[in-house]
């Protein structure tokens, strides 16, 4: 891959990363999806006990419905998968530990913002699930990057023949 294509790929990664961050900020902080009260509540809500909300959603899944259960559990993971995927594309930070750190940091920032503004709640379960999503995204990036490199190597071998 020549340097022009590498630059184009990095620019595309940055543009996609910025678009994703804008979507993420809107969705996590301002969207009224799932009954989020964007006007805020009068009280602070937080869960500092790990697995408390996950257990609650599991125990009451029949009353809440599978959609609410799946959305809470897998939605919190899936919403951060693009972050873990685009972060190494858009930056020089291409390590599992770096992705773990930045995924947790962004999730922590979102949860603190939700607590301070009383939009949503601070939930350590969300931070755990978001961080797992970032790691899953990073692993997908590694797989895709490996496939891309292998394809490029095959193309270069074909050209040399």
């Amino acid at each position: 891959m020549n340097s022009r294509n590498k630059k184009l790929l990095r620019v595309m990664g940055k543009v996609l990363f910025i678009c994703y961050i804008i979507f993420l900020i809107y969705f996590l902080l301002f969207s009224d999806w799932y009954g989020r009260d964007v006007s805020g509540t009068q009280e602070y809500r937080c869960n500092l006990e790990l697995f408390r909300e996950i257990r609650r959603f599991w125990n009451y899944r029949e009353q809440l419905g599978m959609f609410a259960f799946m959305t809470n559990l897998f939605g919190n993971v899936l919403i951060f998968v693009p972050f873990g995927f685009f972060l190494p594309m858009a930056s020089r930070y291409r390590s599992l530990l770096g992705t773990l750190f930045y995924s947790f940091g962004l999730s922590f920032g979102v949860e603190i913002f939700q607590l301070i503004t009383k939009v949503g709640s601070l939930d350590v379960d969300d931070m755990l699930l978001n961080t797992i999503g970032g790691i899953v995204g990073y692993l997908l990036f590694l797989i895709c990057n490996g496939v891309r490199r292998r394809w490029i190597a095959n193309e270069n071998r074909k050209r040399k023949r």
Side-chain angles (χ1 to χ4, degrees), residues 57-74:
F57 269 85
W58 175 257
N59 291 336
Y60 295 103
R61 68 187 177 280
E62 290 180 15
Q63 291 87 344
L64 296 169
M66 280 309 276
F67 181 74
F69 170 72
M70 298 298 271
T71 301
N72 183 341
L73 191 61
F74 295 109

Side-chain angles (χ1 to χ4, degrees), residues 65-122:
M66 280 309 276
F67 181 74
F69 170 72
M70 298 298 271
T71 301
N72 183 341
L73 191 61
F74 295 109
N76 277 309
V77 172
L78 290 175
I79 193 112
F80 266 65
V81 169
F83 182 79
F85 187 87
F86 292 135
L87 181 67
M89 275 181 71
S91 71
R92 300 192 191 284
Y93 303 107
R94 290 188 173 197
S95 71
L96 180 65
L97 191 59
T99 302
L100 179 91
F101 176 76
Y102 286 110
S103 296
F104 179 79
L106 178 60
S107 181
F108 182 75
V110 166
E111 296 297 323
I112 293 296
F113 183 86
Q114 288 179 339
L115 177 69
I116 291 170
T117 61
K118 299 179 185 175
V119 174
S121 64
L122 183 145

Side-chain angles (χ1 to χ4, degrees), residues 123-142:
D123 187 349
V124 294
D125 291 344
D126 287 353
M127 288 189 279
L128 172 68
L129 295 170
N130 294 158
T131 303
I132 289 170
I135 296 302
V136 169
Y138 178 76
L139 296 174
L140 288 172
F141 167 79
L142 288 179

